[in-house]
Amino acid sequence: MSEDRWNTVLVLGGIRSGKSAFAESLVADAPAVRYVATAVGGEDDPEWLARIEEHQRRRPQSWTTEETGADPARLTELLSSAKPDDTLLVDDLGGWVAAVLDPARQPNDDEADVAALAEAVRGCAGRVVLVSPEVGLSLVPVTPVGRAFADALGSTNQALAEAADGVVLVVAGQPTWLKNLSSRTAVAPAPEPVVSAAAAPRPAPSVTATPAPPPPPASSPTFVTPEADPAFVAAPVAATVVAPTPVADPVPPVADALGGMTMSLPLVASGLTKIQPGMDLPLPDSDAGPDARERLERIDLPGAGLGRVREAIEFAAGTQETITPQPWSSVRVLVISGRHGGGAAAGADPLDAERRVAETELGIGLLGRLAGQAGADIAVLRVRSSGAMEDGPVTEGHAVDAALRQGWQLADEAADAGRDALLLAGIGVGVEAVATAVLAATTGAEAAATLPRVLLPGGRFDDNAWMVRCAAVRDALHRIRQEPRGAHDILREIGGLDLAVATGVLLGAAARRLPVLVDGPLGIAAGLIARDLAGQTRHWCLLPEAGTLALVKQGADVLGLTPVLELGLDLGEGANALATLPLLRTVLGLAAALPVHPALLAEPGDDGLSDELAEETGGLDDSYDDGIDEEEPTTVLPRGFGNPAPDPEDGAAGRS
C-alpha cells in the first residue's frame, strides 16, 4: 500500500495525552463507526468506571460498540472480517495486551498473537484507527509483571506501526505524525498566478458560435474584474470595480516564515506543513453566531424578523467574530475549469463549456455579469483533464498533492489581496457525475437517486446520456470497492484535479479564516473530501441557495449546511450564489445598522441582555427620549435607505 493512502492509523500517546479524542476526530465524519473496547475488569474500581463513562459520553449515538474483553483473538477476527465500507476505532491496545498476558491464557504463544494482529491490520479491508499507550518514555517498571507488560506493549506498538499506513504521536493534545499518510514525493511549487496587467475592465467583445481557443498550457489563474453591467445595476447605484492587487512576494523566505503566525506559513513552497488527515484548522467564533441570532430577535423591526436569511447573519457573525457582522465588501469568485473523460462526460459539449470559460475570462457571460453587479473579481483556473473513473485512477498521487497545494495557494492569495469572502464556481465537463461518485463513495448515498439529469440547450433532457453517466459511476464505485476511502484516495481514484484544487481552496480558506460560498456539485464534493482532512472546513462554508439538484441538497445535509434561500435557481455552479449575494449583503447591512428596539433596552441588564451586548448593539439608556408627543400621532419618514432628508424650503416636505 502506498504511503499516500490511509486505511489504518496507529495513534500513540501517554496517559491523558488526548490520544483517544484525536483518534475519534479522525473518524468523526464517517457515516457509522464500530467502536471496539478492549478494557478488561475494573467493575469494582469507581475511578476506572468513570473513565469508561467519559469515553462513552463522547461517542455519537450512531456508533456501535463491541467488546473484545478477555478474548484477544476477537479483535483479530473483527479486523479480518471488516468490509470496505466499515470504519473501526480500537481503544486501546493496552487492554488487548493485558488480555494477552492474562495468566489464565498461559502457556501461550503471545508473539504469535501480536503477529496475527499485525497481519490483520495490514490486510483489513475497512478503515481502522488503533489507539495505544506509549510506554517507552516512562521509567522501567520495578516489578516483573510491569516489565512484562511494557515489553509486550512496546513490541505490539512496533509491529502495528510497521503494518499501519500512518502513525501519530499525541502529546498534550498536540498530534505529531511519525509516519505520514500523504505521499513524500517532492512537489515543485505551483506557478505564480498571472495577474492581468490592465486595471480597467476590457470591453465586451461580441460572442459568436466560433469555437473558443484552446486552453493555455500553464495552469495559472487568470484574474479579471468584470465591467458593471447597466442592465443589471439600477441607477444611481454603480458596481465598484476594483482590480485585484498582485502579490509581489507571495512566498516569504523560510527563515521569516518560522517566526510568523501559524496560519500564515507558506505551505505551498516551503513544505513546512503537509496536507493530510487530522489537520487542526481554526473554527469560527462559537459565541458570536448565537449572540447575533439573539440580537436579531431584539432589533427595531415592525415585522416578525428576517426569516431564513438569519442563517447568513449567524454565519457571518461567527466568521467575523462579532455580533454585528458587516456585508462582504470584497468577494473573489474562483472559477475552476476541468474535464473528465469516459462516461462522466456523456452528453456534454466540450466546446460549449470552453466558450463559457472564455467568456468568463473576458468578464462577460453569466458569471461575468453577475460578478460585475456584485463588484466581485474573478480568478479562472484551468486544470489538466482527468481520466475515466470507470477505467482506473483518474490522476496520479503526486498530481493530487500539487493540486491541493495550488488550491490552498489560491485562498492564500485572495486573503493577501484583502478579499473578505470567496465564492467557488465551476465550469467543466463531467463534474456532476464525478461529484455523484464522490457523494456515494463517502456517504453511501444511492448514485442513481442523486445523479443530475443531462440537460441540453432548449430545455431538453438526454436520458440516454444520463444512463451512460450512471453506468460510469456504478463501474467506478465497483472498481474501488476494496480501495481505501481517504481524501487522497478518492481524489486520485475518481475525483480528479479540479476537485483537488477546490478541496485545497476550502482548506486554505479555513486556515485564513475566510468564508466560502458554495452552491454546486464541485463545492459540495470538495467539502465532503475536505472534511476527511480537516473537519473544521465545513464551518467556513455557506450555502446561499439550495438550487434544484438532489446531489447538492443531500451533500449539504451531510455537511450540515442549511441553505439560506430556496428559490429554485438553476443557473449553474457559482451563478446561484452570485445572484443571491446582493440580497445577503443588504440583509447583513440592515441587521448591522438597525439598533435594538428601545423598549428592550430601557436599562441594560434588566431584560436579560448583557451590558456588553447592549453596548455593542447601540442600545439606549434611561435618558433616551424618542421625541414623540404621546398625545398626537406623528408620521416619521425613514431615512438612510434611499429617502433623502426633506428640504425645509420645499413645500412638499413631509409628503411620501
Side-chain angles (χ1 to χ4, degrees):
M1 182 175 298
S2 59
E3 291 180 7
D4 63 333
R5 301 185 180 192
W6 103 255
N7 195 43
T8 53
V9 172
L10 175 63
V11 181
L12 301 172
I15 299 173
R16 295 296 187 184
S17 62
K19 60 183 182 298
S20 293
F22 177 77
E24 291 166 7
S25 71
L26 292 179
V27 298
D29 294 320
V33 176
R34 297 167 65 186
Y35 186 95
V36 182
T38 63
V40 181
E43 292 80 2
D44 299 328
D45 187 343
E47 192 272 339
W48 179 252
L49 293 177
R51 286 173 178 255
I52 295 177
E53 184 179 353
E54 178 186 352
H55 280 245
Q56 292 173 340
R57 285 197 300 267
R58 287 206 305 257
R59 302 174 205 162
Q61 294 182 354
S62 60
W63 290 17
T64 59
T65 302
E66 299 196 32
E67 298 183 0
T68 59
D71 182 12
R74 174 63 178 154
L75 176 57
T76 304
E77 295 172 0
L78 289 174
L79 297 177
S80 301
S81 61
K83 296 180 175 57
D85 55 350
D86 286 345
T87 300
L88 289 81
L89 173 58
V90 182
D91 194 359
D92 67 11
L93 293 178
W96 183 84
V97 169
V100 169
L101 298 178
D102 188 349
R105 299 184 71 248
Q106 305 305 323
N108 182 66
D109 189 352
D110 300 337
E111 293 182 358
D113 289 338
V114 174
L117 179 63
E119 188 60 31
V121 169
R122 187 178 291 106
C124 184
R127 304 184 70 185
V128 182
V129 176
L130 304 110
V131 182
S132 184
E134 175 51 58
V135 296
L137 302 179
S138 62
L139 297 175
V140 177
V142 297
T143 64
V145 174
R147 288 193 294 270
F149 176 80
D151 292 345
L153 185 55
S155 299
T156 302
N157 287 344
Q158 291 186 48
L160 295 186
E162 191 278 330
D165 303 322
V167 181
V168 59
L169 175 66
V170 181
V171 179
Q174 305 303 309
T176 300
W177 289 92
L178 308 178
K179 185 176 180 181
N180 288 323
L181 303 172
S182 58
S183 175
R184 295 180 182 175
T185 303
V187 180
E192 283 191 34
V194 179
V195 182
S196 176
R202 288 174 283 184
S206 59
V207 180
T208 65
T210 304
S219 59
S220 301
T222 302
F223 289 91
V224 298
T225 303
E227 184 177 6
D229 191 340
F232 278 77
V233 182
V237 181
T240 303
V241 180
V242 181
T245 304
V247 182
D249 187 11
V251 182
V254 174
D256 296 338
L258 290 173
M261 296 180 59
T262 301
M263 292 310 162
S264 299
L265 293 177
L267 175 141
V268 175
S270 69
L272 293 178
T273 306
K274 291 188 176 181
I275 299 180
Q276 58 190 8
M279 300 178 69
D280 188 16
L281 300 181
L283 282 168
D285 191 324
S286 59
D287 296 326
D291 287 347
R293 179 178 287 270
E294 179 185 352
R295 179 183 179 274
L296 291 178
E297 299 174 356
R298 300 169 176 271
I299 61 175
D300 192 4
L301 287 174
L306 296 172
R308 296 192 56 168
V309 293
R310 291 182 300 179
E311 187 78 24
I313 299 173
E314 185 173 356
F315 170 83
T319 55
Q320 297 180 24
E321 301 181 344
T322 174
I323 64 171
T324 53
Q326 300 301 310
W328 300 298
S329 60
S330 182
V331 178
R332 171 160 293 176
V333 182
L334 293 178
V335 182
I336 301 174
S337 176
R339 296 185 182 183
H340 297 264
D349 184 354
L351 291 180
D352 187 69
E354 179 56 33
R355 175 183 63 83
R356 295 185 184 278
V357 175
E359 288 178 349
T360 305
E361 288 176 333
L362 296 174
I364 59 176
L366 177 61
L367 286 176
R369 289 174 179 270
L370 290 174
Q373 176 195 11
D377 62 7
I378 302 178
V380 181
L381 179 68
R382 300 172 183 265
V383 300
R384 198 180 69 195
S385 298
S386 302
M389 60 181 172
E390 64 268 35
D391 295 336
V394 297
T395 187
E396 306 84 8
H398 64 85
V400 168
D401 289 336
L404 286 169
R405 292 167 180 265
Q406 187 166 23
W408 188 302
Q409 185 182 30
L410 290 175
D412 264 343
E413 288 163 354
D416 293 338
R419 303 300 177 260
D420 54 10
L422 294 177
L423 194 152
L424 194 56
I427 303 176
V429 174
V431 178
E432 295 88 351
V434 168
T436 301
V438 169
L439 176 66
T442 56
T443 69
E446 178 61 39
T450 56
L451 178 64
R453 297 181 69 184
V454 181
L455 180 64
L456 300 177
R460 296 179 295 110
F461 290 98
D462 188 345
D463 288 335
N464 289 329
W466 179 88
M467 288 188 286
V468 174
R469 293 187 183 186
C470 196
V473 174
R474 177 202 62 201
D475 293 343
L477 294 175
H478 180 75
R479 180 180 61 80
I480 66 171
R481 66 191 185 282
Q482 296 291 342
E483 295 290 334
R485 301 296 176 91
H488 290 80
D489 307 306
I490 292 295
L491 291 172
R492 182 185 62 254
E493 296 290 339
I494 59 178
L497 298 181
D498 52 350
L499 194 50
V501 171
T503 302
V505 168
L506 297 185
L507 294 169
R512 297 300 298 268
R513 300 179 178 272
L514 201 61
V516 183
L517 278 61
V518 297
D519 68 350
L522 182 69
I524 292 298
L528 292 171
I529 295 177
R531 67 173 185 161
D532 191 51
L533 298 168
Q536 301 88 348
T537 53
R538 67 182 182 89
H539 297 283
W540 295 95
C541 296
L542 179 70
L543 181 64
E545 160 63 14
T548 61
L549 301 182
L551 165 63
V552 173
K553 294 179 180 179
Q554 187 163 338
D557 185 65
V558 172
L559 292 173
L561 302 181
T562 302
V564 179
L565 302 171
E566 290 187 352
L567 304 177
L569 296 178
D570 191 9
L571 304 176
E573 182 148 12
N576 287 347
L578 268 176
T580 62
L581 184 57
L583 173 61
L584 298 183
R585 280 174 163 170
T586 299
V587 170
L588 285 171
L590 186 67
L594 289 177
V596 173
H597 195 284
L600 299 177
L601 283 178
E603 187 169 339
D606 288 351
D607 55 2
L609 197 63
S610 66
D611 292 346
E612 180 183 355
L613 181 59
E615 180 181 354
E616 189 164 351
T617 55
L620 306 175
D621 57 19
D622 291 338
S623 62
Y624 173 73
D625 182 7
D626 58 13
I628 299 177
D629 188 351
E630 297 181 357
E631 296 181 359
E632 296 183 8
T634 304
T635 302
V636 181
L637 295 178
R639 301 181 186 177
F641 289 92
N643 294 319
D647 188 344
E649 299 179 1
D650 186 357
R655 291 183 295 172
S656 58

